[in-house]
Amino acid sequence: MSETSPIRKIGVLTSGGDAPGMNAAIRAVIRTAMSEKLLAVGIYHGYKGLINKEFAPMFGYSVADIIHRGGTILKTSRCPEFKTNEGLDKAYQNLSDEGIDGLVVIGGDGTFRGALALHKRHPDIRIVGLPGTIDNDLFGTDFTIGYDTAINTVVQAVDKIRDTAGSHGTLFFVEVMGRDAGFIALNSGIATGAEDILIPETETKIDSLIAKLEYDQRKHKTWGIIIVAEGDELGGATKVAEMVKEKLPGYETRVTILGHVQRGGSPSCNDRVLATRLGYAGVKALLEGEDCVMMGMMNDKVVHVPFEKATKNHQQIDKSLIEVAKIMAL
Ligand code: ADP
Ligand code: F6P
């Protein structure tokens, strides 16, 4: 099939960590496909379902009443077999047998790396990607689907923790997700007035944190919130709390690990709209002959970002935000 061959049947899957808004994205893909008179197939459990041929036809009504639901109706997985040539060949054979000539993958950078691997071995299936991850670390898009919901979940939780922290005079170390990225930590930290925010992108100086807490203690302020991204190089909230307690035993400390609560829940308005716009754009891009590109949103405009670029680079933290956060915590 040449690059300009018409697309007749598309497949859609979700892969990697789930994110609120994935369902809204699936809905947008299917409804746009229907409006273009395409056939559509839902592929269950991400790349695992591609290899095991977990396919089901989808129609406009298949995606009714899902725009407000977290998780993914197509389920997701992490699939080591897809990293092997045998796995890629099985997946390709299943796609060919089913007559699928266009694929929409919704996930993070790992998912796009998988799509690239499939393309390199079997270039005749056109693939587009939608950025679905709460981490917001994908290069080429201002926001990823799920991030807005996740930070709002964190803000709601931390506001509640602050109530009890203030009542008891306790210092809380709240760990948020972000194995490699500090977007959730930085922005939720600013929004909740955190006393400090520890992220993997900047070196965490424990001595500076101790000095600040000593200063607060002298002023009889012993409560507060320290947001710690799980990927911080010091080793997460439990470790940081231990280090602080050792140097400042007078502090009453607690650790809260928010964990997977951040990945669930009904998507925010922003995530629903983002997912819908990118899902629509993804199908249109396939029809225009695009291949191996991620749909991104930059300055409120849809952009097409080659998978190569999206996977080789990381979205950078805006350093000025770190400064803002520091000033607010003085
Ligand atoms: P995310 O998409 O959220 O970053 P992962 O990193 O777990 O999640 O990637 C999702 C899946 O993509 C992996 O389980 C694997 O099946 C596939 N994948 C990731 N990297 C590659 C690769 N280099 N080659 C083939 N498949 C890959
Ligand atoms: O979805 C991304 C992410 O939330 C990371 O921030 C986190 O480290 C990871 O997923 C954990 O996912 P799992 O528990 O599924 O391995």
Side-chain angles (χ1 to χ4, degrees):
M1 188 176 73
S2 81
E3 260 214 306
T4 48
S5 318
I7 297 274
R8 291 184 198 86
K9 192 173 199 177
I10 65 161
V12 58
L13 61 83
T14 49
S15 158
D18 64 327
M22 280 184 162
N23 283 328
I26 295 166
R27 173 179 177 270
V29 167
I30 298 298
R31 294 261 160 106
T32 308
M34 294 299 112
S35 84
E36 297 289 346
K37 309 277 182 275
L38 301 175
L39 295 169
V41 171
I43 299 157
Y44 284 82
H45 297 112
Y47 292 137
K48 200 160 90 184
L50 207 49
I51 290 172
N52 297 331
K53 205 166 186 200
E54 296 179 61
F55 295 175
M58 291 185 86
F59 308 94
Y61 60 78
S62 317
V63 289
D65 290 333
I66 64 166
I67 194 167
H68 60 297
R69 283 169 53 190
T72 159
I73 60 161
L74 290 177
K75 316 295 179 186
T76 184
S77 70
R78 309 209 197 251
C79 175
E81 198 185 346
F82 202 68
K83 294 185 177 174
T84 65
N85 286 341
E86 294 71 34
L88 292 172
D89 292 347
K90 273 193 220 166
Y92 174 73
Q93 195 56 54
N94 288 334
L95 287 166
S96 297
D97 292 349
E98 185 69 25
I100 293 173
D101 34 30
L103 189 60
V104 181
V105 298
I106 308 170
D109 56 348
T111 297
F112 301 153
R113 263 191 283 280
L116 260 181
L118 180 63
H119 170 82
K120 283 192 178 138
R121 214 166 151 78
H122 299 290
D124 58 337
I125 309 267
R126 290 213 291 268
I127 315 175
V128 297
L130 310 182
T133 164
I134 64 164
D135 289 342
N136 205 41
D137 56 347
L138 274 167
F139 179 84
T141 186
D142 289 337
F143 301 106
T144 55
I145 297 164
Y147 170 66
D148 185 64
T149 308
I151 51 176
N152 280 296
T153 300
V154 173
V155 167
Q156 281 181 18
V158 174
D159 285 351
K160 289 176 181 151
I161 292 170
R162 190 176 274 286
D163 289 344
T164 180
S167 302
H168 284 265
T170 311
L171 180 65
F172 272 84
F173 294 82
V174 181
E175 184 173 302
V176 300
M177 275 188 165
R179 199 163 27 202
D180 310 303
F183 290 93
I184 296 177
L186 184 56
N187 285 285
S188 64
I190 291 173
T192 54
E195 274 60 32
D196 207 346
I197 304 167
L198 314 186
I199 57 174
E201 289 86 347
T202 56
E203 190 196 345
T204 302
K205 296 196 177 86
I206 192 72
D207 292 345
S208 315
L209 174 60
I210 303 278
K212 180 189 161 26
L213 292 173
E214 264 176 336
Y215 174 77
D216 286 350
Q217 204 176 29
R218 280 201 296 277
K219 291 192 300 172
H220 305 290
K221 180 170 183 294
T222 60
W223 67 94
I225 304 285
I226 311 291
I227 300 275
V228 186
E230 63 175 330
D232 187 77
E233 75 279 8
L234 282 187
T238 308
K239 187 77 205 301
V240 178
E242 276 168 18
M243 291 165 107
V244 167
K245 188 74 181 165
E246 200 181 300
K247 296 269 184 201
L248 301 171
Y251 264 101
E252 188 66 30
T253 59
R254 293 287 185 277
V255 174
T256 303
I257 297 173
L258 290 181
H260 290 75
V261 71
Q262 296 160 91
R263 283 233 296 252
S266 179
S268 67
C269 176
N270 280 344
D271 275 332
R272 295 179 199 193
V273 174
L274 177 68
T276 302
R277 290 177 69 187
L278 295 183
Y280 168 86
V283 176
K284 289 287 192 184
L286 277 178
L287 291 171
E288 286 158 13
E290 285 274 35
D291 195 4
C292 284
V293 288
M294 177 191 88
M295 301 295 107
M297 190 67 72
M298 300 282 273
N299 299 318
D300 207 31
K301 295 271 177 299
V302 174
V303 292
H304 296 180
V305 187
F307 284 154
E308 295 270 7
K309 259 185 145 175
T311 52
K312 278 207 181 104
N313 301 286
H314 269 286
Q315 162 108 294
Q316 297 297 309
I317 287 274
D318 179 350
K319 292 274 160 53
S320 71
L321 281 185
I322 298 173
E323 182 61 18
V324 169
K326 280 209 172 87
I327 303 281
M328 293 304 128
L330 282 179

